[in-house]
Amino acid sequence: MLFNSSEFFIFLPIVFFLYWFVLKNSFRQQNIMLLGASYFFYGWFDWRFLGLLILSTVIDYSFGFWVANGTERKKKLFLWLSIFNNLIILGFFKYYNFFVTEAAIFLGNLGFHAHPYVLNIVLPLGISFYTFHGMSYVLDIYRGNFKPIANFVDYAVFVCFFPLLVAGPIERASHLLPQITTSRKFSYAQGVQGLRLMLWGFFKKVVVADSLAPIVDDIYKNYHTYSGSTVALGAIYFSFQIYCDFSGYTDIALGTAKLFGFELLTNFKFPYFSRNIAEFWRRWHISLSSWFRDYLYIPLGGGRTTRAKAVRNTFIIFLVSGFWHGANWTFIVWGGIHALLFIPLLLGNKNRQFTGPIVAYDRSLPTLKELAQMLLTFTLATLAWVFFRCPDMATSFAILKQMTVNFFHVPALKSFMLFYVAPLVLIDWYFRRDERALAFPRNRALRYITYAVMFVVIIYHSNNNASFIYFQF
């Protein structure tokens, strides 16, 4: 079920009504209802994968007890079995065809004729997210950061809560489970904040991202017929498309969770206002980058080791992050590019230069230096997005090459879409101090007029129910 579908706007009020008006006196019953609603929400996409989701949930729930109660040797054994189980599930559905095809190509280069057996299977929605939920749960138990949950329903809600099930944010047991295992009371302020986040998320997704999508698709498909400036504009538009698509989804997810009394982890903090690539990754898909930091980068030694090992660890985390997004060399190269951009900052001890508030937090405008830093970071991220967007390496390099052809030709036909991008940047800049507390006008009449205008514009653009980009990961 898509957030931007008519079915969701029937589903959500029904679940909300049952949750707060019928089952308000028992959070246990609320949890059972949330689990059933989450399974229904997921099964609406494809009911065949419900069994895989439930099986994965049961296995990690069981491993949590085995890791907690065994001897040190058994704890480590069950931990690795849990990791192996999740990686097998993820690898089979997401990476099997990639590995067998690449192995056949490698053997062919050695003179052997291999005929790989490729599976015609559909990638289960959300598999990259719910397997990471399970692994982090068992890892936190092994580290002693969390005790296993006795109630299976509570744990299953942690894994399957419908706002975050398909595309995150990737939650931590220590953050979400305490909210699930305690009673909740409806908060009017929290509900209003949730509806505002949802409204802004729908605006970003339906109005901006889905309006940019056909333009981006056309430019990337027919890049050889366009001037370099038009192709570059297409790359810029994709940067905003993927940002509005994914952060729009996150806003809707966070807002929906607020309606049920839950606070999910932050996933975006205005990444295109970053002053270098390190800050960009502290502000883009935060739940994933922090997951790799805590469960892969730091266990490898992080940056607090020799320079050579720090560089190695950086490459590992970025390459794995790229590969997490999809079984294609373009994603691996995309991760490698970000590693190459990050390493000079690491070697120069500037990777933690901007760990505080957003740029110009206490000022209306950035300095010229900060503006230049933001533009450079955005440009580098946009060029890397080319590999993320293209189907193969050859197309990626061809598009980058095409950007140099007749570059100064003004792409008048496509530049009208700046009408959507420019206001987005200005509004984001206005909201930048807190991505959750959207500062709508204080005047009640003006505030409701703003709501109404945004709602009308969303309805006007909601004619295709386009899927979210990160659903494919």
Side-chain angles (χ1 to χ4, degrees):
M1 189 181 300
L2 295 172
F3 282 159
N4 54 328
S5 66
S6 56
E7 294 86 357
F8 181 73
F9 287 98
I10 298 172
F11 166 84
L12 183 60
I14 293 174
V15 176
F16 181 85
F17 176 80
L18 293 174
Y19 184 86
W20 286 120
F21 293 94
V22 179
L23 306 173
K24 63 179 180 179
N25 295 323
S26 173
F27 79 92
R28 291 295 180 193
Q29 293 180 12
Q30 287 179 326
N31 288 350
I32 293 172
M33 192 273 294
L34 278 182
L35 181 60
S38 298
Y39 284 151
F40 179 84
F41 178 88
Y42 188 77
W44 191 268
F45 289 107
D46 194 327
W47 61 268
R48 294 172 298 175
F49 292 123
L50 265 175
L52 179 64
L53 172 61
I54 295 172
L55 176 63
S56 176
T57 305
V58 170
I59 291 175
D60 285 320
Y61 171 76
S62 303
F63 273 122
F65 288 103
W66 297 334
V67 167
N69 299 320
T71 63
E72 188 61 34
R73 184 176 180 181
K74 287 185 177 180
K75 286 182 179 181
K76 189 169 293 186
L77 172 64
F78 288 128
L79 171 67
W80 281 108
L81 286 174
S82 172
I83 294 172
F84 180 75
N85 169 73
N86 280 289
L87 293 181
I88 284 293
I89 292 175
L90 187 60
F92 176 76
F93 285 96
K94 191 168 184 176
Y95 300 109
Y96 171 82
N97 287 346
F98 173 80
F99 281 122
V100 297
T101 302
E102 291 301 316
I105 293 173
F106 176 74
L107 291 173
N109 292 333
L110 296 178
F112 299 97
H113 298 286
H115 301 283
Y117 181 73
V118 178
L119 299 176
N120 186 22
I121 55 176
V122 179
L123 180 67
L125 282 169
I127 190 170
S128 297
F129 292 89
Y130 67 71
T131 52
F132 271 40
H133 277 131
M135 278 195 286
S136 66
Y137 171 75
V138 177
L139 281 163
D140 281 346
I141 291 174
Y142 176 78
R143 293 176 173 181
N145 298 332
F146 202 79
K147 294 182 178 180
I149 292 296
N151 189 297
F152 175 76
V153 172
D154 292 347
Y155 173 73
V157 172
F158 160 70
V159 175
C160 308
F161 187 35
F162 72 89
L164 57 78
L165 175 57
V166 179
I170 302 172
E171 273 291 341
R172 305 294 181 87
S174 58
H175 179 257
L176 184 57
L177 270 170
Q179 300 180 62
I180 294 172
T181 56
T182 55
S183 60
R184 283 122 8 217
K185 292 184 179 180
F186 180 75
S187 166
Y188 175 80
Q190 188 182 36
V192 169
Q193 191 181 50
L195 288 174
R196 287 177 177 175
L197 271 172
M198 292 178 70
L199 182 65
W200 181 232
F202 280 117
F203 185 87
K204 286 196 286 186
K205 164 60 179 171
V206 176
V207 179
V208 183
D210 290 353
S211 295
L212 290 172
I215 307 298
V216 172
D217 291 344
D218 175 60
I219 293 175
Y220 271 80
K221 183 179 180 180
N222 304 298
Y223 64 90
H224 54 280
T225 65
Y226 288 115
S227 67
S229 54
T230 303
V231 176
L233 189 62
I236 293 171
Y237 284 165
F238 178 70
S239 292
F240 285 102
Q241 180 198 352
I242 193 170
Y243 166 66
C244 289
D245 192 284
F246 194 20
S247 70
Y249 171 92
T250 299
D251 288 341
I252 299 169
L254 267 60
T256 303
K258 283 176 178 289
L259 294 181
F260 296 93
F262 296 99
E263 294 291 337
L264 301 183
L265 290 172
T266 296
N267 219 15
F268 287 88
K269 287 187 176 180
F270 308 104
Y272 290 154
F273 297 146
S274 301
R275 287 154 286 186
N276 59 31
I277 288 295
E279 186 182 15
F280 174 84
W281 277 103
R282 282 191 286 273
R283 297 184 177 280
W284 176 275
H285 203 173
I286 301 169
S287 64
L288 177 68
S289 58
S290 62
W291 197 100
F292 280 121
R293 179 198 65 204
D294 294 343
Y295 299 112
L296 181 60
Y297 184 68
I298 292 177
L300 287 173
R304 300 179 183 276
T305 181
T306 65
R307 288 296 178 92
K309 289 184 178 180
V311 170
R312 178 205 64 184
N313 296 341
T314 299
F315 268 109
I316 289 175
I317 192 173
F318 277 108
L319 293 177
V320 172
S321 176
F323 199 44
W324 176 91
H325 285 84
N328 195 317
W329 284 107
T330 54
F331 294 115
I332 297 174
V333 170
W334 171 75
I337 291 172
H338 278 277
L340 291 173
L341 295 173
F342 186 92
I343 284 172
L345 299 174
L346 177 68
L347 297 178
N349 295 320
K350 295 183 178 180
N351 56 306
R352 300 193 60 79
Q353 185 176 7
F354 304 115
T355 57
I358 191 75
V359 62
Y361 181 84
D362 55 353
R363 291 176 277 116
S364 298
L365 296 172
T367 64
L368 289 177
K369 179 181 178 181
E370 290 170 337
L371 181 61
Q373 289 171 328
M374 288 189 290
L375 289 174
L376 176 60
T377 303
F378 175 77
T379 300
L380 294 173
T382 296
L383 293 174
W385 282 130
V386 171
F387 291 89
F388 192 96
R389 173 60 176 75
C390 288
D392 52 61
M393 295 296 298
T395 305
S396 302
F397 286 115
I399 285 179
L400 291 175
K401 181 179 179 181
Q402 187 68 19
M403 288 184 187
T404 65
V405 177
N406 197 15
F407 182 83
F408 293 101
H409 173 74
V410 178
L413 182 63
K414 307 295 181 183
S415 59
F416 77 96
M417 293 302 296
L418 290 171
F419 173 78
Y420 294 96
V421 173
L424 171 78
V425 174
L426 293 175
I427 294 171
D428 260 5
W429 182 259
Y430 182 69
F431 287 157
R432 73 189 184 282
R433 293 179 180 88
D434 190 344
E435 78 286 353
R436 299 194 187 209
L438 302 178
F440 284 93
R442 292 185 178 182
N443 180 276
R444 177 176 294 183
L446 186 58
R447 185 167 65 250
Y448 281 106
I449 290 173
T450 303
Y451 295 157
V453 170
M454 290 179 67
F455 183 77
V456 169
V457 173
I458 290 170
I459 295 298
Y460 175 78
H461 285 83
S462 59
N463 55 3
N464 58 0
N465 288 344
S467 182
F468 291 83
I469 293 176
Y470 263 70
F471 278 21
Q472 63 184 296
F473 306 137

